[in-house]
Amino acid sequence: MDLQLPTPDDFPAFPYQPPYSIQIDLMKHLYTSIEQKKVTIIESPTGTGKTLTLLCSSLTWLMDERDRARKGKMRAIAGGDEIDAKDWVVEQTLARVRREMEADEREYEEKLAKARKREQQLRRMAAGRMNKKAVGCYVIWPRVSVLMPPPSAQKYTNAATRAPGEPSSSKARGVEDEEDDSAFLPEDEPTNDDGGEYISPELRALMERVDRIRRSRHLPGEEEEVACTKIYYASRTHSQLTQVLPEMSKLKLKPSVSVTNYHNQGRSDESSTLPQKRSLPVGDDEENEQDECGSHKQFRTVALGSRKQLCINNELKAKSRDLDEACRELLGEKAGKRCQYLPPAGEEVAMLDFRDQILAMPKDIEDLAEAGRLGNICPYFGSRKAIAQAELVTLPYNLLLQKSAREALGIDLKDQVVIIDEAHNLIPTLLSLSTNVLSYSCLAISFQQVCTYVQRFKNRLSAVNMLHLKRLVVFLDATKKAMSEWRDERVAALKNKQQKLEKSEVLTVVDFMGRLGKKASSINLLEIESYLKKSKIARKISEYADKQAEKEVGDAGSSRKVKRRTLPPLHSVEDFMVSLSLPNDDGRVTFTLIEVPGQEATVELRYQLLNPAPNFLEVVQDARAVVLAGGTMSPISDVINQLFYTVPPERITNFSCGHVIPEENLQTLVVSRGPKGGDLDFKASRQSDPAVISELGQILFNYACVVSAGMIVFFPSYSFLNHAKEIWSKSKTLDRFAAKKSVFFEPQQSMEVDTVLREYAAAVQGQLPDKKGGALLFAVIGAKLSEGLNFADDLARAVVIVGLPFPNLGSPELRERMKYVKMLEDKRLAGSADKSKRESGKDAAAELYENLCMNAVNQSIGRAIRHRNDWASLLLLDRRYGTPSIRNKLPKWIRKELVVSDGFGQTIKDVAAFSSQRRKHAASS
């Protein structure tokens, strides 16, 4: 019997029947890709129901996979296709196993149903304010109620509200100084028995607590968690992830079916030699009533977030210091001083009950935090406890892509399904996660703090601690000197203008380490970094420095308060050291001169990884299937070349679907000539030409006259837009625009974006007085308004793209990256057996440069056309959009309808006719 899952022809779980044909095709492609363990890239334009189709297809596969696992187990017990044992013996064994499997599943569902009821009770209690007037506060654990005083009176505030090392009164300070300083000594970490792999203290603590529970037989047997196949659904931000659960709730997935008896397959029930037993009931009549979950399948879901989003300890959050560090401090405290939202020692079963509440009903980050407040239990650690039994895990990019984050959370991607939505941001995100910046001031402070600490505790530190700290001092001192020397040389050269020098210099890691000198370059940086992490010495050094600063202020009689730093400076040094020790040749270190008027020039170091693939490679290797999905993934070849060049080509697939809108609802024109008949070419060298900008103003005015409602114009850069604005103001072109439409410009400050968008929408809808014809919004490609915003219907009846936003070649990081991809391409082509292929191979650096430009263009284009009945004109103002290399990098659904016009006048007529026809069609329908 073949247990390969066939791709379904339809998806009954999809809530809107029948689905569009492109939605069916997408779901079938995704289902097949997961089943065949592929890496696939999916392009599905906004408005096509991308999130819903991704969830429907992947969760349908997950249900089928679970049913397959049951069938496989039954088949294995039955002996496959060859059965040697007597028929009734095999049938009796299968019947027993089948009943046990069904009973286990129903027992677990009953447990989740009870967890839902407990949560509902907590919500009713909170709504009724039953304990508002109580003198004491009952902290209600799901199974255990523990009488605790109000948070303000709890003993743990000694650690939560007072700075570490600060005595309880100024009178005792002088007596206790020597004793308090012991708190700043390095911690003696237990021997690492995890094969050298670092496990965070909080995760280790949770593991130990669960082990204690099992040893004490609080939860015999049932808490032996069995990992299940799950889907990891990642996106860039939590706001994007909040769309997942509402979409999932629309699906009409049927509850799981009973286990099939594969020994009886093909025979009638009457031929069975065993009497049939009735199915076990799911629960009592009350529990079988319709509840919040309805009759559809509810997947066990958990949303992962940071402490900043999930911490419910308001006193801890109010402190100015880093929340992660403050939480770790409380984790290490004894009873009475630890965080009140972690269950008391010996009552860790409460955390497991909270885990069941999380899994019983899907919750986003906000729901999870609220549930934690209702139960007075930490949602941060509760969500992590739920990962093992969850079927769907939603999480932001950084928690999935960083190996350290996955290890800290206990995320194992082996044979799991990974879906990354909004994946057009994936490559920039991977590169940014591997980038570390170390400023000269941070390095100098770290050096000073470490030297002071070593001098103070040299007689109390062990030989091992002193050895590591002395090596750290050598590295810090050498790096500090290298930065100072580079800054002085660069400032002097630029001042004297002796030679043409840039304000930055890019080095390989080997060259950078060579500049530190022989002694510093021979230090094992990973060994020092491991010591810093295990001993928590960075935080202790910073806290000791803060204490000394406060003491000096107090001795001087000043009332000025010393501001504590958010993060210990040594943490930045740690990150930089880890980057320098990465085992690859893809890293570069950049010296950059920072000049601020009126201040002395300073310098910063920046480590960047030129290759985004290494950090993603482990995800691809471990996961069963990897899905990259986005509204605009073009050019798809760029994604494959940068991320999957080590993946066998037969494992990689892609799918680019059309739009749900009718073809007649989109007009795409390449405007290659201006009103004067000359070619439109907005290269960087021409963007400051007054004549070019004047002609552009005339072009945009003509389109504004024929485009109804809202019109958005994207410029390739702020400098181009500001220069055009200045010239148009002098020539009264802006007044001509204002006579036709209300004019708005993308603000420089992010806080002003909402205000501008509200006023723009009001103008489009005719809500502003004395304005007619809608509104005109000028924006910048790749800036605040080019991604993540919804300009549906009248908000964008035309989107105009001015020129091509090629990145600045003056960036040393970009030049180094282009040089790097060219080197990789040369190596690959040099190994090619086909000499003609090598000679005709396209320059990889130029390809990367072009792809960076078109990725930004495609994001801006996607702001219009947001649903099936939407319509808009897309105008590309530059002759270069008509060239094959640029044209082929546009999304397929746009490229299909692209028209390259020769004359400007004809484009005006075409846009006017298109707008008129669409208006008439909308009015008649």
Side-chain angles (χ1 to χ4, degrees), residues 160 470 638 713 740 821 856:
K470 285 181 178 179
D638 181 53
V713 180
K740 291 293 181 181
V821 298

Side-chain angles (χ1 to χ4, degrees), residues 371-389:
R373 293 187 186 97
L374 288 174
N376 286 290
I377 192 165
C378 178
Y380 176 78
F381 286 106
S383 63
R384 276 138 183 76
K385 188 59 188 169
I387 293 175
Q389 296 183 8

Side-chain angles (χ1 to χ4, degrees), residues 643-879:
L643 291 181
F644 305 126
Y645 60 86
T646 61
V647 179
E650 60 271 14
R651 195 189 171 197
I652 302 174
T653 63
N654 67 80
F655 178 87
S656 181
C657 68
H659 213 296
V660 294
I661 62 169
E663 292 182 359
E664 58 269 19
N665 279 19
L666 175 67
Q667 179 187 54
T668 307
L669 299 176
V670 174
V671 184
S672 57
R673 295 182 181 273
K676 299 179 181 179
D679 288 342
L680 291 182
D681 191 335
F682 296 100
K683 292 180 179 179
S685 59
R686 305 189 67 204
Q687 291 176 7
S688 57
D689 187 338
V692 172
I693 293 177
S694 177
E695 184 179 33
L696 175 61
Q698 182 61 44
I699 292 171
L700 296 177
F701 176 77
N702 289 337
Y703 286 127
C705 291
V706 297
V707 172
S708 60
M711 173 173 159
I712 304 176
V713 180
F714 283 103
F715 276 68
S717 66
Y718 276 113
S719 60
F720 188 11
L721 175 59
N722 292 335
H723 198 58
K725 183 178 179 182
E726 181 182 351
I727 291 178
W728 289 341
S729 296
K730 294 178 181 179
S731 63
K732 306 298 182 182
T733 301
L734 286 182
D735 294 338
R736 296 178 64 200
F737 287 150
K740 291 293 181 181
K741 295 179 181 292
S742 300
V743 180
F744 299 88
F745 288 87
E746 178 174 320
Q748 297 279 2
Q749 303 297 325
S750 298
M751 63 183 67
E752 300 174 1
V753 169
D754 289 342
T755 301
V756 171
L757 290 178
R758 282 196 301 269
E759 293 177 356
Y760 171 75
V764 168
Q765 296 163 6
Q767 297 177 3
L768 295 183
D770 302 327
K771 298 292 180 181
K772 297 181 180 180
L776 177 61
L777 176 61
F778 290 97
V780 176
I781 297 173
K784 306 174 187 66
L785 305 183
S786 64
E787 183 179 346
L789 295 178
N790 184 352
F791 292 100
D793 302 319
D794 280 350
L795 293 179
R797 289 308 183 192
V799 173
V800 182
I801 308 293
V802 179
L804 287 159
F806 284 104
N808 182 15
L809 276 175
S811 166
E813 289 89 353
L814 176 60
R815 292 201 306 269
E816 194 67 24
R817 191 176 170 203
M818 291 174 64
K819 186 192 303 181
Y820 174 79
V821 298
K822 179 68 166 61
M823 177 194 69
L824 290 183
E825 183 72 8
D826 289 343
K827 285 183 178 180
R828 285 198 291 266
L829 293 177
S832 173
D834 187 356
K835 185 176 179 180
S836 61
K837 181 179 180 180
R838 292 201 305 269
E839 293 175 348
S840 62
K842 188 173 182 179
D843 189 324
E847 187 76 9
L848 172 66
Y849 189 58
E850 206 170 77
N851 288 338
L852 291 172
C853 167
M854 292 309 297
N855 285 334
V857 169
N858 291 337
Q859 284 305 304
S860 299
I861 288 174
R863 297 313 92 210
I865 309 292
R866 311 298 287 186
H867 58 83
R868 177 173 176 80
N869 296 319
D870 205 355
W871 57 270
S873 295
L874 175 59
L875 307 175
L876 306 176
L877 305 188
D878 200 301
R879 64 171 185 80

Side-chain angles (χ1 to χ4, degrees), residues 7 14 26 28 47 114 116 126 167 175 315 449 481 718 721 874 881 886:
T7 302
F14 197 79
L26 191 156
K28 292 171 69 173
K114 292 177 181 178
R116 280 193 292 271
V175 178
E315 287 191 70
Q449 287 184 352
K481 288 179 179 178
Y718 276 113
L721 175 59
L874 175 59
Y881 281 106
I886 297 294

